[in-house]
Amino acid sequence: MIIKPKFRGFICTTAHPEGCAYNVKEQIAYVKSQGKVKGPRNVLVIGASTGYGLASRIVATFGAGAKTIGVFFEKEASGSRTATAGWYNTAAFEQAAREEGHYAVSINGDAFSDEIKQQTIERIRQDLGEIDLVVYSLASPKRVHPETGELFSSVIKPIGQAYTNKTVDFHSAEVTEVTIEPATEQEIEHTIAVMGGDDWERWMKALQDAGVLAEGVVTVAYSYIGPQITHSIYREGTIGRAKDDLEATAEKLTHLLEGVAGQAYVSVNKALVTQSSSAIPVVPLYISLLFKVMKEKGLHEGTIEQMYRLFAQRLYTGSASDLSLDDRNRIRIDDWEMKEEVQEEVAKLWNQVETDNIRDISDIDAFRQDFFRLFGFEFPQINYDEEVDVQRSIPSLAE
Ligand code: NAD
């Protein structure tokens, strides 16, 4: 079949297996071009198929030589429907990992459920015995509570009052103004239930109760802060409340893990184009300006560069002081994004940006390209006019 992108707004319903595989190969090549990481041995990545979770898995495998179990929620191809990008990514990742003799096993299902937690624990018991790193990198719009069955939906809204600011349609590069009405109390609670720390805590408790956490285990979850421009919609909005809850959970978990001398951290990562961040109003315009400024200053990074730096220069340097935690005990791998010289420049451009000048003063075309690359499109190395087989199997799921 010839596969073209089918998209509407920030949703793309097709994915290209060769393009996704190319993307994964490039990430692996980057990690191999860097030094080895004296990292973890047995790693569980929850949310392992795209974005920061996939990059974490690649660094753990090809940087540290770790065995990995990856949990995610993806769809395989059926008939003429392509698989999701995360499915193709994982098929390519597992194949590359196995070719080099690395253990890599995947579990496809709802990570919020007790069933998937138990299935994962069984697999750890059977194959690895214990885990010494748990990466929690879920991003989901919905969660079914495992005990009550209640369905929670997260929203991206300001709190207290309506918020108006510039935004961009990254397909047409049109800059407009958007107003988002404030969230209700229930929407705030639901967003915390989906993207807060409750499920991370449930995972860690389940793993601890099962006795599969190694002495000195580390767990890390990902957060975001960002600049003043996006605070009303992000950090001080509904999703920010969920991140507050996630960050508070790290402290609770460090207590929970005292018995195995474990540590729980939150790493604040850089804003990047992923399926999740493209969906947030205002943020794509900020990212387009940010990328332009960071590229000009030679500071630009993608998910793989961010995760390599997190592992090699923060988590596994062999010295606790190298974590450079902030006053709220968070790892800051967004340090380059938040540099004063970067933020001052972005703020200046933010005031100037409009439809007529966006292509000159921002990296909007790169944003759009990065968006399509998430689904395996827009790689000049791939011939998109060629017939491809949409079926790809993930070796560990086919066994
Ligand atoms: P992403 O959308 O690329 O990845 C989400 C992952 O979660 C995928 O592997 C997906 O399969 C999995 N997933 C979703 N629902 C699931 C479910 N019910 N069961 C199992 N797996 C499920 O997201 P991302 O942007 O890499 O975000 C990961 C984390 O990083 C989030 O906490 C996010 O807030 C944070 N973060 C993102 C950015 C950014 O700019 N993208 C910046 C800083 C922090």
Side-chain angles (χ1 to χ4, degrees):
M1 188 175 130
I2 290 170
I3 309 168
K4 300 280 172 189
K6 268 198 202 139
F7 61 94
R8 199 167 14 91
F10 49 82
I11 292 167
C12 186
T13 54
T14 52
H16 199 284
E18 298 293 335
C20 289
Y22 182 79
N23 190 3
V24 168
K25 269 192 215 136
E26 286 280 279
Q27 294 193 44
I28 295 172
Y30 172 78
V31 173
K32 286 183 168 178
S33 74
Q34 305 296 305
K36 285 272 173 222
V37 183
K38 273 201 195 127
R41 286 174 303 115
N42 295 333
V43 181
L44 169 62
V45 182
I46 303 157
S49 53
T50 55
Y52 276 119
L54 172 66
S56 307
R57 192 175 192 190
I58 291 173
V59 174
T61 305
F62 294 94
K67 298 177 178 179
T68 63
I69 295 183
V71 180
F72 48 77
F73 211 177
E74 302 293 346
K75 279 205 184 88
E76 66 178 306
S78 111
S80 62
R81 222 183 47 214
T82 71
T84 51
W87 180 277
Y88 289 142
N89 290 341
T90 306
F93 163 79
E94 270 201 18
Q95 198 188 334
R98 286 171 175 227
E99 272 166 17
E100 296 192 20
H102 298 293
Y103 169 99
V105 156
S106 301
I107 292 174
N108 187 28
D110 182 8
F112 295 123
S113 70
D114 289 343
E115 186 197 333
I116 288 296
K117 291 183 176 70
Q118 284 316 314
Q119 212 174 301
T120 307
I121 286 167
E122 282 315 309
R123 199 68 206 229
I124 297 170
R125 279 207 179 109
Q126 189 186 311
D127 296 353
L128 305 176
E130 22 176 62
I131 288 288
D132 55 2
L133 173 66
V134 180
V135 175
Y136 188 84
S137 186
L138 283 191
S140 171
K142 286 188 172 51
R143 173 184 176 207
V144 175
H145 194 279
E147 281 167 29
T148 63
E150 193 178 350
L151 173 69
F152 298 110
S153 296
S154 72
V155 298
I156 296 165
K157 290 189 177 180
I159 291 174
Q161 57 191 47
Y163 168 69
T164 301
N165 212 329
K166 292 177 187 178
T167 194
V168 68
D169 173 337
F170 59 83
H171 298 295
S172 64
E174 192 189 348
V175 179
T176 54
E177 212 169 65
V178 64
T179 296
I180 306 150
E181 293 303 318
T184 62
E185 276 308 313
Q186 199 198 40
E187 285 174 324
I188 299 170
E189 276 168 33
H190 280 214
T191 306
I192 295 171
V194 180
M195 288 297 287
D198 183 57
D199 182 61
W200 184 24
E201 189 175 341
R202 282 173 184 273
W203 267 102
M204 294 313 296
K205 277 190 173 147
L207 294 163
Q208 161 116 324
D209 290 348
V212 294
L213 294 178
E215 187 76 14
V217 65
V218 168
T219 181
V220 62
Y222 299 141
S223 188
Y224 183 65
I225 298 177
Q228 201 63 43
I229 309 162
T230 62
H231 275 186
S232 298
I233 188 68
Y234 195 94
R235 194 62 213 206
E236 286 160 14
T238 47
I239 185 79
R241 287 286 175 87
K243 292 299 184 192
D244 289 343
D245 186 68
L246 186 81
E247 290 169 14
T249 303
E251 209 180 308
K252 270 206 244 170
L253 289 180
T254 294
H255 289 300
L256 175 84
L257 300 174
E258 269 166 7
V260 287
Q263 282 288 342
Y265 298 109
V266 161
S267 170
V268 181
N269 300 345
K270 178 195 182 191
L272 277 174
V273 185
T274 65
Q275 295 182 36
S276 305
S277 65
S278 324
I280 307 176
V282 184
V283 167
L285 183 56
Y286 164 72
I287 293 181
S288 302
L289 295 168
L290 177 75
F291 280 18
K292 174 90 170 176
V293 173
M294 291 188 82
K295 282 177 187 170
E296 276 171 7
K297 293 187 184 299
L299 294 171
H300 183 67
E301 292 175 301
T303 44
I304 196 69
E305 289 88 352
Q306 276 270 293
M307 292 301 94
Y308 182 81
R309 203 151 63 85
L310 172 65
F311 277 60
Q313 294 180 21
R314 296 289 192 279
L315 288 174
Y316 294 102
T317 59
S319 157
S321 58
D322 286 348
L323 284 165
S324 312
L325 300 180
D326 68 8
D327 56 357
R328 291 173 65 183
N329 279 327
R330 299 173 295 206
I331 297 171
R332 301 299 297 267
I333 211 75
D334 66 337
D335 48 350
W336 297 357
E337 170 181 359
M338 299 313 286
K339 273 179 188 277
E340 223 171 276
E341 49 171 310
V342 170
Q343 285 304 323
E344 272 174 10
E345 188 66 25
V346 172
K348 217 164 57 193
L349 295 173
W350 184 267
N351 290 330
Q352 297 167 11
V353 71
E354 51 188 58
T355 307
D356 287 346
N357 63 15
I358 187 166
R359 287 212 154 84
D360 302 324
I361 69 169
S362 87
D363 220 352
I364 188 69
D365 293 324
F367 185 103
R368 187 171 183 277
Q369 185 175 64
D370 280 1
F371 172 79
F372 284 114
R373 286 184 170 186
L374 298 173
F375 304 94
F377 299 107
E378 299 242 351
F379 287 104
Q381 296 82 355
I382 305 293
N383 180 356
Y384 293 102
D385 295 322
E386 237 169 46
E387 293 273 343
V388 274
D389 182 0
V390 294
Q391 293 294 339
R392 295 292 142 119
S393 67
I394 295 177
S396 68
L397 296 179
E399 279 162 0

